Amino acid sequence: MSLNNSSNIFLDSVPSNTNRFQVNVINENHESSAAANDNTDPPHYEETSFGDEAQKRLRISFRPGNQECYDNFLQSGETAKTDASFHAYDSHTNTYYLQTFGHNTMDAVPKIEYYRNTGSISGPKVNRPSLLEIHEQLAKNVAVTPSSADRVANGDGIPGDEQAENKEDNQAGVVKFGWVKGVLVRCMLNIWGVMLFIRLSWIVGEAGIGLGVLIILLSTMVTSITGLSTSAIATNGFVRGGGAYYLISRSLGPEFGGSIGLIFAFANAVAVAMYVVGFAETVVDLLKESDSMMVDPTNDIRIIGSITVVILLGISVAGMEWEAKAQVILLVILLIAIANFFIGTVIPSNNEKKSRGFFNYQASIFAENFGPHFTKGEGFFSVFAIFFPAATGILAGANISGDLEDPQDAIPRGTMLAIFITTVVYLGVAICVGACVVRDATGNMNDTIISGMNCNGSAACGLGYDFSRCRHEPCQYGLMNNFQVMSMVSGFGPLITAGIFSATLSSALASLVSAPKVFQALCKDNIYKALQFFAKGYGKNNEPLRGYILTFLIAMAFILIAELNTIAPIISNFFLASYALINFSCFHASYAKSPGWRPAYGIYNMWVSLFGAVLCCAVMFVINWWAAVITYVIEFFLYVYVTYKKPDVNWGSSTQALSYVSALDNALELTTVEDHVKNFRPQCIVLTGGPMTRPALLDITHAFTKNSGLCICCEVFVGPRKLCVKEMNGGMAKKQAWLIKNKIKAFYAAVAADCFRDGVRSLLQASGLGRMKPNTLVIGYKKNWRKAPLTETENYVGIIHDAFDFEIGVVIVRISQGFDISQVLQVQEELERLEQERLALEATIKDNECEEESGGIRGLFKKAGKLNITKTTPKKDGSINTIQSMHVGEFNQKLVEASTQFKKKQEKGTIDVWWLFDDGGLTLLIPYILTLRKKWKDCKLRIYVGGKINRIEEEKIAMASLLSKFRIKFADIHIIGDINIKPNKESWKVFEEMIEPYRLHESCKDLTTAEKLKRETPWKITDAELEAVKEKSYRQVRLNELLQEHSRAANLIVLSLPVARKGSISDLLYMAWLEILTKNLPPVLLVRGNHKNVLTFYS
């Protein structure tokens, strides 16, 4: 879209009724261009069109009066209406026509549908055109109708949209709450607990007004910091149901989220019992006053509590709408009760209330009550521990995040406003009650001061009452002694009782709703597979009815049998642990510096969040140290369990982000450190192709790189670039996932190249990062070199030359059966597919037979159809059996066994190291590392080195001394003195027969013919070359004889790899050397380092 914002556009006159975009056709011929150049206005910069027909290019502009319409256009993503002469599809150019811009392009404008997750309940997921679709040439035979082109161009049409739209229609009846009813009301009701009415006055009496205010502010500081962290996390993306669990799990990952989610849901379930018992105790006290007890206090509490929980369950199961209405009613009652208290403080006190310590607002009482007066056994922290649970409940709104219209707006606004309002009320009640009521009072109206009596100097004494005997004997009234002070002070006492009922029942109802919602979200994520049963929801609101029943049973159990005074501190600590992790989540996400951390709520600080997390942990120990320990133990156990199970989820947590940052920092820091021989480790590129196709090659490499070095499984795709790139990109994730699934600590890398050697050359140069670059190339031995095309052999040997050119060591692995099991995998996949078809067919036949048996007359009419299916069955079954038996017959069991030989624990034996040439020590280091592995620990090293016959003992002692300095344990050392003698005739004859098809035999021909043959077949082995390296050829054949003699029974042979000098040794001769050298032997590793030290005896 080209928006021309020059002044002349905005000054154009427009009809007053214009309310949409004006679309003008611009004539872009030479004359119009010249006219534009003559214009004195500044030049206009427009987006270049890719279309061929300039006459059909559009400019879309808006007038000043239509700015609002333009803004709406941008927000809604609608397309502008074009002239009827323009079509969505241009038949001349065979390109899609995007109406929004008026250009011939498939590029789509930004739309929210492109960024939704699959299965999103907020709208359908739409796929934008892929980079391949807009980058590659458009197919000539595309046939697109205008309507479909319209939808594709604007990003609307994908398969499954209709189903998604229908799903949205079904969601039309879902009840969603705004920030007031959904968050503010719930948080206020949950924070204002029974503590407000029956404990706050006692707290002021113990701590005084000053410290009492400090206790309230300290509690509020914890909840406010947690609220800020919650707001930041909640506004960093779309929030689903699950509350605290969802916020923590999506920030810190399933390990933390899964552990805290379970105990948080359990804490809410038990909290239902605690709040209901609080309600029942109040009712029982009223029954006592009226002498209407049913059985006894304990059983009456159980009976009333059980009935209450059943009623609350009925309200919850009826639906969130009914529950929300009940919460509003309870809030109104609670607000009336609080207002009743404040009104009562200004109503003049009577003699009865004065005798109980209430004198209205008095400066002397305020001054007397300002300082602390702790009784025996109480202190600041013990009083704080009693009050702090009254400040919790800030997550009541977040816990039903899935039922909010806009959680990102509702959670921050409702939570923070609820904290502010409830804190002001707490402070107001504390200051007012501290300024009106004395600490101790007798309740006796006759305890007045008589003239002439000595006054004890207390505030009550100055107001005409003598409560001095409360110093020597317990009194029943005053802040310190009477929990019903607020009821006494209020204008109408029964309203305070109603407030207590409202506070307890609303908190119980909020917990009864929160626990199943959080638990359902946890179960849906399938972190604990045994709990999947509770993930199912019912109705339009996806109500967790199963979770409600479970919560009901837990609450009933604790009402009937639990010791709530013991369990209460643990529940408080469970909530605090959730707060601590929410704060830590906010800090961790900020500290990880992930670009995805962009909370819309910016009033937070990462260090304040960290301070809040530490503060929550400290408060846990202040409240109850043993409960804190139990909480941490349970959380740690669940964390370890989830970590061990490794749930298959990926939520883009800050833990992942921090892992990346740490890895990046470490990699960069590593580049500043020079390589040192003591820290050398084999870092390997393994040419496995697909890692699953050559498992044995990968296993032996992984054996000496696991937990110590880099291992990169590499694959080269050769062929047409377009097809190769598509195949390569399609398999990257799958092959890396295979490595992870099989617990192989390696990376997968792939390149597309014109030839195999070019691809490997690219990998050798570009693989790795910083100091973590490969220093060793591991390849399988090319067993079929004599049958393969010549170019393959040339590439194979060329790869070895390239590795040496780049100063990279080479390891060639040979096993008798070879490595490639791709054909076996294809057979297995085919058998699995056929087996699935057979099972599906059997199931269909079984279903049809059941229908025929139970269908009666109706089954009779369908008999013909069923007979057809039955008739085809034997033929299909027979074909399956035939195919299966055929493939089983071809199945190479030995190849499969060979492919797994390095996965097994190796039997007790030896690793024979033929360290014939000093390559820096890699030939010795690799077998030493193998012996450290669990699978190879029973194998001892035997060292074979060449030497002179007349100096065998001396050289053996020298080698033993060198190995001891290297601190490498060995079982034996053998000095081979007859390496350089000629091999026997039979062995040499085998070698000559091997190379015979590739010899040129130019010495038997005339000079002209010989030169012609050299030009035509330069790859053949010449007589001159063979004569020049005859001694080396003898050595390879002789070494095989020695290997047959000494190492035939070894578990593994590690042998120095002979190096072919470039330009001197032909590729086929070199392959013949490797063939004869490793023929008829146990698994062999041909190793050649880069001739730089990898071993040292210096400390």
Side-chain angles (χ1 to χ4, degrees), residues 665-933:
D665 289 343
N666 290 336
L668 290 171
E669 186 177 350
L670 197 61
T671 59
T672 64
V673 180
E674 291 294 328
D675 289 333
H676 194 282
V677 62
K678 287 197 295 184
N679 293 323
F680 176 87
R681 58 199 66 216
Q683 304 196 117
C684 301
I685 276 187
V686 196
L687 298 185
T688 57
M692 62 284 290
T693 60
R694 292 175 177 81
L697 181 62
L698 180 56
D699 289 337
I700 189 63
T701 309
H702 189 240
F704 59 81
T705 59
K706 182 181 179 182
N707 296 329
S708 63
L710 179 70
C711 181
I712 306 176
C713 301
C714 295
E715 185 171 8
V716 179
F717 289 87
V718 179
R721 186 173 184 81
K722 182 178 178 180
L723 295 176
C724 288
V725 169
K726 184 177 181 180
E727 183 183 357
M728 179 179 71
N729 292 340
M732 293 282 283
K734 178 183 176 182
K735 290 167 184 175
Q736 184 65 56
W738 184 89
L739 292 171
I740 295 170
K741 181 181 178 181
N742 288 272
K743 298 180 180 179
I744 296 173
K745 296 184 178 181
F747 300 96
Y748 173 76
V751 293
D754 294 330
C755 75
F756 185 70
R757 183 177 180 183
D758 288 344
V760 176
R761 190 184 289 125
S762 299
L763 289 167
L764 291 173
Q765 294 178 87
S767 295
L769 188 68
R771 296 288 181 194
M772 294 185 294
K773 291 184 71 68
N775 53 33
T776 306
L777 170 67
V778 181
I779 55 178
Y781 177 71
K782 189 170 182 60
K783 190 178 179 183
N784 66 337
W785 64 274
R786 283 181 279 187
K787 298 178 182 178
L790 181 63
T791 53
E792 288 188 13
T793 305
E794 290 176 347
N795 283 335
Y796 183 83
V797 178
I799 287 167
I800 299 173
H801 288 307
D802 292 336
F804 291 148
D805 287 341
F806 298 134
E807 295 189 338
I808 291 176
V810 175
V811 177
I812 301 177
V813 187
R814 181 174 185 179
I815 58 177
S816 58
Q817 297 296 325
F819 293 104
D820 192 356
I821 62 167
S822 55
Q823 292 183 347
V824 175
L825 295 176
Q826 290 174 3
V827 170
Q828 289 178 342
E829 289 177 2
E830 179 68 14
L831 288 175
E832 289 175 3
R833 185 184 65 79
L834 292 172
E835 180 66 15
Q836 289 174 358
E837 287 183 2
R838 187 183 66 80
L839 293 174
L841 184 63
E842 287 180 355
T844 304
I845 295 170
K846 187 176 180 181
D847 291 342
N848 286 323
E849 288 175 351
C850 292
E851 285 182 14
E852 188 172 350
E853 291 173 2
S854 62
I857 298 174
R858 184 176 59 181
L860 199 60
F861 288 102
K862 297 181 180 178
K863 187 175 181 181
K866 293 179 176 59
L867 285 174
N868 288 338
I869 295 173
T870 309
K871 286 177 183 178
T872 57
T873 303
K875 182 178 178 181
K876 181 73 177 177
D877 239 358
S879 64
I880 292 173
N881 291 331
T882 304
I883 294 172
Q884 187 171 349
S885 60
M886 179 181 66
H887 283 305
V888 169
E890 297 173 357
F891 197 80
N892 192 334
Q893 189 63 32
K894 289 184 178 180
L895 181 58
V896 174
E897 291 176 359
S899 69
T900 60
Q901 62 180 307
F902 298 125
K903 290 182 184 295
K904 304 172 185 174
K905 181 175 174 58
Q906 302 298 308
E907 297 178 357
K908 191 172 183 179
T910 63
I911 298 177
D912 288 359
V913 183
W914 290 71
W915 195 16
L916 305 177
F917 308 106
D918 194 336
D919 58 351
L922 187 65
T923 308
L924 187 61
L925 180 62
I926 287 176
Y928 168 71
I929 295 174
L930 285 175
T931 60
L932 302 179
R933 306 304 185 200

Side-chain angles (χ1 to χ4, degrees), residues 289-454:
E289 291 178 5
S290 61
D291 197 19
S292 302
M293 299 289 292
M294 290 179 285
V295 186
D296 56 67
T298 302
N299 284 313
D300 282 6
I301 289 173
R302 290 172 176 169
I303 293 169
I304 295 169
S306 301
I307 295 171
T308 305
V309 171
V310 171
I311 294 172
L312 293 177
L313 177 66
I315 295 172
S316 301
V317 171
M320 290 295 294
E321 193 171 7
W322 284 94
E323 188 266 348
K325 290 176 180 177
Q327 292 281 25
V328 172
I329 295 171
L330 293 172
L331 179 63
V332 170
I333 297 172
L334 196 57
L335 290 173
I336 292 173
I338 293 171
N340 176 48
F341 165 76
F342 286 112
I343 293 171
T345 60
V346 297
I347 297 175
S349 178
N350 56 32
N351 289 334
E352 183 183 0
K353 289 186 177 181
K354 286 181 179 179
S355 68
R356 295 183 178 184
F358 174 51
F359 295 93
N360 296 109
Y361 292 103
Q362 301 292 336
S364 58
I365 295 178
F366 181 87
E368 184 179 76
N369 288 342
F370 189 81
H373 189 272
F374 295 114
T375 55
K376 186 177 181 181
E378 300 294 346
F380 176 82
F381 289 110
S382 65
V383 174
F384 172 80
I386 291 172
F387 172 78
F388 183 80
T392 60
I394 61 171
L395 296 179
N399 286 339
I400 63 161
S401 53
D403 297 296
L404 300 176
E405 286 181 0
D406 185 4
Q408 291 179 283
D409 175 68
I411 292 175
R413 187 188 296 186
T415 302
M416 297 312 297
L417 186 57
I419 292 173
F420 175 76
I421 293 173
T422 53
T423 301
V424 170
V425 171
Y426 272 130
L427 290 173
V429 171
I431 294 171
C432 290
V433 78
C436 296
V437 185
V438 296
R439 281 193 168 102
D440 294 298
T442 60
N444 189 346
M445 288 186 289
N446 295 324
D447 286 342
T448 55
I449 302 250
I450 304 172
S451 58
M453 287 182 63
N454 291 327

Side-chain angles (χ1 to χ4, degrees), residues 89-106:
Y89 184 76
D90 184 352
S91 60
H92 295 289
T93 57
N94 278 332
T95 55
Y96 292 107
Y97 202 89
L98 182 58
Q99 291 180 332
T100 305
F101 286 150
H103 297 316
N104 293 335
T105 176
M106 279 187 69

